Amino acid sequence: MAFARSRQALAIAGVLGLALGVTACGTGSNNKKSSKAGSAECAAYEKYQGHEGKKVSIYSTNTDVEADKLQESWKQFVDCTGIKIDYEGSREFEAQLPVRVDGGNAPDLATIPQPGLLKRFADAGKLKPLAGDTKAMAEQNYPADWLKYATVNGSLYGVPLDSNVKSFVWYSPKTFKEKGWTVPTTWDDLIKLSDTIAASGTKPWCAGIESGDATGWPATDWIEDLMLRTQTPEVYDQWTTHAIPFNDPKVAEALDRAGTILKNEKYVNGGFGGVKSIATTSFQDAGLPILQGKCALHRQASFYANNWPKGTKVGEDGDVYAFYFPAIDPAKGKPVLGAGQFTVAFSDRPEVQAVQTFLASGEHANSRAKLGSWVSANNKLDLANVESPIDKLSVQILQDKSAAFRFDGSDLMPAAVGAGTFWKGMVDWVNGKDTASVLQGIEGSWPAGGCPGC
């Protein structure tokens, strides 16, 4: 069964306009030079020694530029240990990985963006639980909020790799300064700002949820962010696991709260039209009217930084920047919605464990961050190695001990819902269908048993 591509992977694919079907097969990682073990530059890799000449295969969603950077990030590890890494990236990852695993041709390691898919393999006995050193490294470097998404029946099966923060609102610092507008820190302030902008004759918000076969996913992020703001993180967990039904009043409250912006003709859709234009506006184009002064606010993840036209300065004093999507009651905590990938193992050979442990380390996090366009929740990641202002802000949020992080809800739900009826339901809702009918339709589609990813 084909599994839904993560929102991040879809977004990056759409933003960069990469050709479908391209795979990245690494050559740089298959280094044929002898190990440099013993040199000063290899001191950090001594604990991974003893496997020179051994091969480890990695299968991932990362292709093209992202694949090149990933392979470059472990080059020194390869040079110092002599372990050869055979890397393959594919845009058909979610569909092809189950085929390979079920056919007895699993890679040694894979980077999985959906916890539901991870659980499917763990329940089937296909994954290897983290070995002692890897488990210790993961628990030392990552928050418990992240590790729980790779934990199945009490066993930890995956190591977080990259991350993205979705709880952002993009804006123009220049316009805010000219207009005397202040970045809001509460939901009430956000609504007051929206009213002020609307009164000035500008539609405050612009939005777009068109994304080809994945149309609707940006709206699910809105609902997930609002579930975290109208309810507790524990209720959010109950929702994503179907411990409460999809048409529960708590879910309706979140949807209606989102509707105070997305279905408000006074607020949207700056640069495109009315409310219904949201459904036909591509998510790639949705925030661009900010640069033209046709809207002022756009809720979208950190990865949207890649979508601004070439030459656009991103930063606090730049053309565009982003602020944290405010909590309704900041005194109750700082909810953060995000997503990411987990490195899992289908083999437990010593060299495979060494590579998986390294990918959980601070050395790898900092090596990859120095190459740009990368965020991680790894607490050993030094902000000095993160170049992009929005990536720096993302890391600060992820490392904030007061933040309550929760994974993208649609990635946690059964594929038929999270990448099916939930997406479609949001399109119907934007086009005018009432909240109760939309939620009832999604609830009725939840598979019996509710196994995420099944």
Side-chain angles (χ1 to χ4, degrees):
M1 175 179 182
F3 291 87
R5 187 182 305 279
S6 71
R7 304 303 83 77
Q8 181 186 24
L10 281 165
I12 291 175
V15 166
L16 298 180
L18 301 174
L20 292 174
V22 177
T23 60
C25 299
T27 56
S29 293
N30 299 328
N31 198 294
K32 296 183 179 180
K33 295 180 181 179
S34 60
S35 171
K36 298 178 182 178
S39 64
E41 68 187 72
C42 291
Y45 305 98
E46 288 183 4
K47 58 176 147 313
Y48 307 111
Q49 297 293 343
H51 314 291
E52 188 166 359
K54 300 293 178 110
K55 289 185 178 182
V56 175
S57 61
I58 299 180
Y59 189 47
S60 173
T61 62
N62 298 91
T63 63
D64 300 285
V65 174
E66 293 298 314
D68 291 343
K69 289 181 178 180
L70 187 58
Q71 292 174 91
E72 181 66 20
S73 73
W74 59 56
K75 185 179 185 302
Q76 191 171 33
F77 169 85
V78 168
D79 289 346
C80 290
T81 64
I83 296 175
K84 299 179 180 180
I85 297 179
D86 289 333
Y87 178 83
E88 181 184 357
S90 172
R91 297 205 173 282
E92 303 303 321
F93 174 88
E94 287 87 349
Q96 290 303 313
L97 181 61
V99 173
R100 295 190 182 193
V101 173
D102 295 342
N105 188 32
D108 294 321
L109 296 171
T111 63
I112 293 181
Q114 295 97 358
L117 183 54
L118 183 154
K119 183 179 186 299
R120 182 233 191 197
F121 289 131
D123 285 341
K126 303 291 187 180
L127 294 183
K128 304 297 182 183
L130 297 193
D133 288 346
T134 312
K135 186 171 185 286
M137 184 75 79
E139 291 177 340
Q140 178 183 345
N141 292 353
Y142 287 92
D145 278 350
W146 272 91
L147 297 182
K148 74 176 184 179
Y149 292 114
T151 300
V152 180
N153 296 325
S155 295
L156 183 59
Y157 286 94
V159 174
L161 187 62
D162 56 6
S163 313
N164 68 71
V165 174
K166 298 200 169 193
S167 300
F168 277 135
V169 177
W170 289 88
Y171 72 107
S172 167
K174 178 182 178 181
T175 300
F176 267 49
K177 186 176 181 179
E178 290 175 351
K179 301 290 187 181
W181 299 334
T182 303
V183 169
T185 57
T186 68
W187 177 266
D188 286 346
D189 288 343
L190 181 66
I191 297 303
K192 288 177 182 176
L193 173 62
S194 300
D195 288 337
T196 297
I197 297 171
S200 74
T202 298
K203 291 287 184 71
W205 291 87
C206 42
I209 64 173
E210 189 279 321
S211 185
D213 291 341
T215 293
W217 73 259
T220 69
D221 285 358
W222 270 88
I223 310 313
E224 291 153 6
D225 248 336
L226 267 300
M227 276 295 291
L228 285 173
R229 282 153 179 73
T230 58
Q231 310 299 327
T232 64
E234 291 72 26
V235 171
Y236 181 90
D237 296 338
Q238 293 169 4
W239 173 55
T240 61
T241 59
H242 208 220
I244 61 172
F246 214 104
N247 58 346
D248 187 280
K250 298 182 179 70
V251 185
E253 180 183 352
L255 188 56
D256 287 339
R257 177 83 67 156
T260 62
I261 292 177
L262 292 179
K263 299 184 82 167
N264 186 337
E265 293 287 358
K266 293 181 179 179
Y267 283 2
V268 295
N269 189 20
F272 300 106
V275 169
K276 290 185 178 181
S277 71
I278 292 174
T280 56
T281 300
S282 73
F283 85 90
Q284 295 99 327
D285 294 339
L288 301 185
I290 289 176
L291 294 174
Q292 304 155 4
K294 295 181 180 179
C295 79
L297 305 166
H298 177 59
R299 197 222 70 89
Q300 188 51 275
S302 56
F303 53 68
Y304 199 75
N306 297 312
N307 194 50
W308 300 106
K310 185 176 181 180
T312 303
K313 183 180 178 182
V314 178
E316 289 184 85
D317 60 347
D319 302 309
V320 291
Y321 196 47
F323 59 80
Y324 168 72
F325 191 37
I328 292 173
D329 184 357
K332 292 184 178 179
K334 186 175 185 178
V336 178
L337 180 69
Q341 298 190 85
F342 298 85
T343 305
V344 300
F346 294 93
S347 168
D348 55 5
R349 300 194 314 277
E351 64 270 23
V352 176
Q353 294 178 9
V355 174
Q356 191 179 29
T357 303
F358 168 67
L359 292 177
S361 71
E363 287 83 10
H364 178 261
N366 285 287
S367 173
R368 176 61 187 87
K370 289 176 182 178
L371 300 173
S373 299
W374 196 75
V375 171
S376 172
N378 191 311
N379 59 39
K380 297 298 191 300
L381 177 56
D382 186 343
L383 268 179
N385 292 324
V386 181
E387 182 179 356
S388 162
I390 195 65
D391 287 350
K392 280 184 181 290
L393 181 57
S394 298
V395 172
Q396 289 174 324
I397 289 175
L398 289 170
Q399 293 182 348
D400 187 343
K401 296 188 186 311
S402 69
F405 176 86
R406 287 299 185 270
F407 208 87
D408 181 291
S410 55
D411 276 343
L412 299 174
M413 296 173 185
V417 178
T421 55
F422 194 5
W423 289 354
K424 185 179 183 300
M426 291 303 93
V427 175
D428 292 341
W429 179 75
V430 165
N431 282 329
K433 196 168 184 179
D434 65 279
T435 293
S437 297
V438 168
L439 295 184
Q440 177 57 46
I442 301 172
E443 168 61 21
S445 73
W446 199 284
C451 172
C454 291

